[in-house]
Amino acid sequence: MAMSKVNQWRMLVEALAVALLISTSLIKGAAGKPPHIVFIVADDYGWFDIGYHNSTIKTPILDQLASQGVKLENYYVQPICSPSRSQLMTGRYQIHTGLQHFVIIAPQPNCLPLNETTLPQKLKESGYATHLVGKWHLGFYKNECMPLQRGFDSSFGYLSGMQDYWTHFRHGSFPNFKDGNHWLGIDFRDNDRVAWEYTGNYSQFVFTERAQRVIQQHNPNQPLFLYLPLQSVHGPLQVPDKYRKPYAHFHNENREIYAGMVATMDEAVGKIVDSLKAAGLWEDTVLVFTTDNGGTPHAAGNNWPLRGTKNTLWEGGVHGNGFITGPVIPAKMQGTVSKHFMHISDWFPTLIEGVAGGSTAGLALDSYNMWDSITKGTPSPRKELLHNIDPLIRADHPLGYGIDEETDMIYPLSGVYPKVAANFSTYIRAAIRVGDWKLLTGRPGRDGRNSWYPPPEWNMTSITPLTPAEKLTWLFNIAEDPCEKNDLSDKHPEVVADLVGRLEAYYKTSVPVRFPNETVKANPATHFGVWGPWE
Ligand SMILES: *[C@@H]1O[C@H](CO)[C@@H](O)[C@H](O)[C@H]1NC(C)=O
Ligand SMILES: *[C@@H]1O[C@H](CO)[C@@H](O)[C@H](O)[C@H]1NC(C)=O
Ligand SMILES: *[C@@H]1O[C@H](CO)[C@@H](O)[C@H](O)[C@H]1NC(C)=O
């Protein structure tokens, strides 16, 4: 039977409507494609050591990029490597991922929990190609923990926290961390393959070249997420002489080398931006630059005039260098300084929702989308920041817990670690910001780490406050006292009580700490001299 005229018409109209829908969505897809994201993480880069904070160390390229974008001057990170990276990758506090304590040590069977959704996984939902060049440091004991299983299309670099810049071998950096300290192995991979062929090539140059290749080979019609967690400027202090020479006037070997390492990083960022321009991607790029934590004066980094160091909850550990730049930033915001309260975890919803146009629905985030704040100057949605609660670092640590002089960590010597207290106590190392108030409890940093360290090239001695051993709380108004000089805990006991209450409330939501013992199965000697998954 022949179709009725009405039905024929209806089918034609429907077909036309579908065609129209497809074509408009295609047009929208081409023109409305989200911008490329290049996300650069410097390692252990001190507050003082970027040219626009003080010109002692020169960073002309970073200065220029920052001055064309938005300098984030009220921006916070975590005090050490894995924690900052875990929060960037999940938008969640460490008390909710079990990574509250220290970093992931190479011989530990530990990684970013596999049920966490990562930033690159979410960006892929918005069509991004995702590439990692540099340092992972979120665990690798089994294949499922590796970057290629956590949302990256390609991954190049090293898995643990540190390595030799030239040999790409990793050996112990933690003198008291038992056996794993002495285990030597290569930690360098090109996707799944161990990459021996870069031995003798300085990692900053190798990473720059790889990043440039990713950019050159990228299809410009697809949004790019290039995650570049650089090795610079983490110890060991190593740099080609040419970069160190301009700092001979420092008369301080370590600081000269460190400044040279900063120079290689500055140059690398310039080369990467040049490649983005040459590939025609730059006009459509958002570039973020951030440190992972404060500098460590013991490895020549500096946070002057902030108090404290890497691995402390003082501002020197957590008030980070950061900026966002690129032609995608609206013209009226280019060249501005943002005082909006922001944390490294906030990049997660900011990039997924604000930049990529995706959604974080269904994820229990501890972070905020800052995109309006960055692009329109609207007030920051963040009013509070849990710096951390680490129940394994206690001012009343029992016998059997060692103190690592180098890393300033209290950690189990015996492999038996503390029963974590059911309730929060001010013996526990913790810190929180609520508005302008900051409360620190327990031991924010050990002895000397509570000091103000002038840059070594000034030949001044550090300023160490006398602190009674029984002191467990410190209170500062950070807006008025960004260098934490005036402890107001005696003057405002009601604020202390209030903020301790907030810490108690957070502590109740904590998941158990994951800090498993090192295992001999990790020893590269049993894997052809290679660090890599052993389970
Ligand atoms: C660097 O610090 C010194 C000492 O605080 C100060 O005199 C100088 O102005 C600073 N330079 C810049 C560019 O901030
Ligand atoms: C992952 O599993 C742990 C343990 O069951 C749980 O505490 C945590 O909340 C889970 N994370 C997510 C994102 O669901
Ligand atoms: C390593 O460095 C040498 C000397 O600079 C260079 O010729 C070579 O191309 C580099 N190799 C790689 C794989 O980067």
Side-chain angles (χ1 to χ4, degrees):
M1 220 168 68
M3 232 184 259
S4 78
K5 264 229 150 65
V6 174
N7 271 346
Q8 281 176 16
W9 271 109
R10 182 180 295 155
M11 280 176 66
L12 188 63
V13 167
E14 276 173 10
L16 275 171
V18 167
L20 201 68
L21 261 174
I22 290 172
S23 62
T24 51
S25 68
L26 277 181
I27 290 163
K28 187 163 166 262
K33 175 181 70 62
H36 308 295
I37 300 167
V38 177
F39 198 101
I40 303 174
V41 182
D43 204 340
D44 288 5
Y45 191 29
W47 175 263
F48 180 84
D49 302 333
I50 194 160
Y52 62 80
H53 283 161
N54 197 286
S55 53
T56 303
I57 292 183
K58 309 269 181 273
T59 56
I61 290 156
L62 295 175
D63 293 358
Q64 194 194 4
L65 286 169
S67 71
Q68 293 163 349
V70 180
K71 285 179 191 152
L72 305 168
E73 291 294 277
N74 192 7
Y75 172 65
Y76 285 81
V77 291
Q78 292 308 105
I80 39 177
C81 298
S82 307
S84 268
R85 290 153 211 266
S86 74
Q87 297 211 27
L88 168 65
M89 285 292 146
T90 63
R92 281 156 58 76
Y93 287 149
Q94 289 146 253
I95 57 163
H96 296 144
T97 56
L99 299 173
Q100 300 87 316
H101 182 62
F102 204 44
V103 297
I104 294 174
I105 312 287
Q108 258 183 336
N110 197 11
C111 72
L112 182 70
L114 298 175
N115 62 348
E116 295 290 335
T117 305
T118 68
L119 177 60
Q121 282 171 345
K122 292 301 291 182
L123 290 175
K124 280 173 85 74
E125 288 175 9
S126 296
Y128 279 75
T130 57
H131 301 279
L132 160 66
V133 179
K135 159 170 157 175
W136 176 235
H137 209 187
L138 286 172
F140 60 86
Y141 75 103
K142 55 183 180 182
N143 247 319
E144 294 92 314
C145 300
M146 299 279 277
L148 291 178
Q149 319 303 321
R150 303 312 299 271
F152 287 102
D153 296 334
S154 85
S155 145
F156 181 93
Y158 59 115
L159 300 166
S160 72
M162 65 186 296
Q163 54 152 332
D164 185 289
Y165 281 77
W166 273 291
T167 64
H168 315 300
F169 273 57
R170 190 213 127 83
H171 49 79
S173 52
F174 304 107
N176 296 331
F177 264 104
K178 301 194 294 174
D179 303 337
N181 181 49
H182 308 292
W183 297 341
L184 186 66
I186 189 170
D187 179 7
F188 218 60
R189 269 163 206 264
D190 186 347
N191 291 311
D192 283 330
R193 182 177 64 81
V194 180
W196 296 93
E197 68 272 29
Y198 298 96
T199 306
N201 288 54
Y202 192 70
S203 74
Q204 182 63 272
F205 306 150
V206 176
F207 292 150
T208 304
E209 255 185 59
R210 175 53 67 111
Q212 289 177 306
R213 195 173 348 142
V214 168
I215 291 164
Q216 283 152 11
Q217 291 176 351
H218 180 71
N219 167 7
N221 296 322
Q222 188 182 10
L224 167 69
F225 174 54
L226 176 55
Y227 175 50
L228 272 170
L230 300 174
Q231 180 171 8
S232 313
V233 289
H234 197 294
L237 295 170
Q238 294 175 318
V239 80
D241 275 345
K242 154 181 152 193
Y243 293 89
R244 173 185 166 177
K245 280 213 179 94
Y247 294 98
H249 60 283
F250 281 0
H251 301 295
N252 177 309
E253 185 179 4
N254 283 351
R255 187 71 172 158
E256 289 165 34
I257 298 172
Y258 175 91
M261 290 161 75
V262 172
T264 67
M265 175 168 74
D266 193 61
E267 177 187 270
V269 174
K271 285 185 175 174
I272 286 157
V273 171
D274 287 347
S275 294
L276 288 162
K277 288 177 180 164
L281 304 181
W282 178 246
E283 284 309 310
D284 200 17
T285 292
V286 170
L287 185 144
V288 175
F289 179 88
T290 176
T291 189
D292 65 338
N293 48 250
T296 175
H298 315 274
N302 196 271
N303 307 306
W304 183 264
L306 302 179
R307 182 174 187 175
T309 69
K310 171 185 178 180
N311 203 8
T312 73
L313 294 172
W314 300 111
E315 294 290 290
V318 296
H319 195 164
N321 291 328
F323 64 82
I324 180 165
T325 191
V328 172
I329 304 296
K332 75 172 169 65
M333 299 307 287
Q334 291 183 14
T336 60
V337 173
S338 168
K339 293 290 178 117
H340 296 303
F341 195 23
M342 181 171 183
H343 182 243
I344 190 165
S345 60
D346 296 331
W347 290 117
F348 187 93
T350 302
L351 298 179
I352 292 165
E353 294 170 353
V355 177
S359 161
T360 59
L363 300 177
L365 299 186
D366 297 310
S367 50
Y368 298 90
N369 178 354
M370 295 290 296
W371 192 237
D372 278 354
S373 175
I374 289 166
T375 56
K376 298 183 188 136
T378 56
S380 170
R382 183 178 278 285
K383 308 294 174 209
E384 186 171 296
L385 172 61
L386 177 68
H387 287 298
N388 195 26
I389 303 175
D390 183 346
L392 298 199
I393 302 186
R394 295 183 60 107
D396 61 342
H397 69 91
L399 288 176
Y401 290 77
I403 298 166
D404 185 317
E405 295 297 331
E406 183 57 31
T407 61
D408 191 23
M409 296 302 296
I410 300 167
Y411 66 93
L413 282 175
S414 60
V416 184
Y417 47 102
K419 231 182 1 200
V420 176
N423 295 309
F424 181 76
S425 119
T426 52
Y427 282 122
I428 291 175
R429 180 186 284 185
I432 188 168
R433 257 290 281 283
V434 178
D436 293 338
W437 292 114
K438 177 180 179 185
L439 178 81
L440 300 99
T441 65
R443 301 208 306 182
R446 208 174 65 81
D447 306 334
R449 307 291 166 116
N450 301 324
S451 308
W452 293 267
Y453 291 86
E457 57 275 18
W458 292 357
N459 281 319
M460 289 161 61
T461 47
S462 58
I463 303 153
T464 304
L466 290 172
T467 307
E470 65 277 10
K471 184 160 176 57
L472 294 175
T473 55
W474 290 258
L475 180 72
F476 301 97
N477 183 316
I478 295 296
E480 287 168 8
D481 179 21
C483 302
E484 296 168 305
K485 290 180 176 156
N486 305 310
D487 172 23
L488 301 171
S489 59
D490 288 340
K491 212 165 160 189
H492 290 288
E494 75 292 352
V495 180
V496 172
D498 219 43
L499 268 55
V500 168
R502 290 300 301 143
L503 286 173
E504 281 166 359
Y506 275 113
Y507 193 63
K508 287 201 170 71
T509 72
S510 299
V511 301
V513 179
R514 284 166 61 102
F515 197 74
N517 290 331
E518 299 169 9
T519 166
V520 292
K521 289 189 217 150
N523 191 346
T526 62
H527 312 281
F528 308 101
V530 174
W531 284 102
W534 61 83
E535 263 190 22

